[in-house]
Amino acid sequence: MALYSEKVMDHFRNPRNVGVIEDADAVGEVGNAKCGDIMKMYLKIENDIITDVKFETFGCASAIASSSMATELIKGKPVAEARELTNKAVAEALDGLPDYKMHCSVLAEEAINAALDDYFSRKNP
Ligand code: FES
């Protein structure tokens, strides 16, 4: 069996929503101290709906695929729904990740939550 699903390979080779949103309403950056990988999420939010999302990931194939998939899953969604997104849901949407690569999808969940924390702290300083 191949190590990675076709979806993982597709999102790794052609990541969706890569880049920076200069006038983002929220930014979240997280890292994994063990592997040194870093993920940054930028959100554009209007009336509590995520209208745009971009990411920069310096990391492994699974981290890149996870961030790409995570952006697809939260784009156009209410912030409350994005808050509920788990790393498991990201991995499932990718048709699975090897067990020892599940922590890479955690980075995507954490980056979104860090960005949402930033959004709420800007809203209610
Ligand atoms: Fe670091 Fe995948 S090995 S996030």
Side-chain angles (χ1 to χ4, degrees), residues 27-41:
V27 181
E29 183 173 340
V30 292
N32 180 311
K34 274 195 188 147
C35 62
D37 291 351
I38 295 170
M39 194 180 289
K40 202 165 177 180
M41 285 274 170

Side-chain angles (χ1 to χ4, degrees), residues 1 5 9-10 25 53 58 60 69-70 80 82 84 88 98 101 105 123:
M1 203 192 102
S5 72
M9 291 311 294
D10 177 35
D25 297 306
V53 46
F58 304 95
C60 71
M69 180 54 87
E84 304 283 297
K88 245 184 114 204
K101 282 286 175 185
S105 61
K123 231 173 120 173

Side-chain angles (χ1 to χ4, degrees), residues 21-65:
I21 299 177
E22 294 293 349
D23 59 341
D25 297 306
V27 181
E29 183 173 340
V30 292
N32 180 311
K34 274 195 188 147
C35 62
D37 291 351
I38 295 170
M39 194 180 289
K40 202 165 177 180
M41 285 274 170
Y42 302 83
L43 304 178
K44 215 47 209 159
I45 301 171
E46 269 167 53
N47 300 323
D48 281 349
I49 304 283
I50 298 169
T51 55
D52 199 11
V53 46
K54 293 223 182 298
F55 78 90
E56 291 177 303
T57 292
F58 304 95
C60 71
S62 303
I64 291 167

Side-chain angles (χ1 to χ4, degrees), residues 25-30 41-45 48-50 52-53 74 77-85 108-124:
D25 297 306
V27 181
E29 183 173 340
V30 292
M41 285 274 170
Y42 302 83
L43 304 178
K44 215 47 209 159
I45 301 171
D48 281 349
I49 304 283
I50 298 169
D52 199 11
V53 46
I74 64 166
K77 298 276 164 60
V79 290
E81 215 172 295
R83 208 32 137 189
E84 304 283 297
L85 184 73
E109 180 188 322
E110 288 178 350
I112 290 169
N113 276 312
L116 292 173
D117 287 346
D118 181 39
Y119 173 63
F120 288 116
S121 68
R122 288 192 207 192
K123 231 173 120 173
N124 307 304

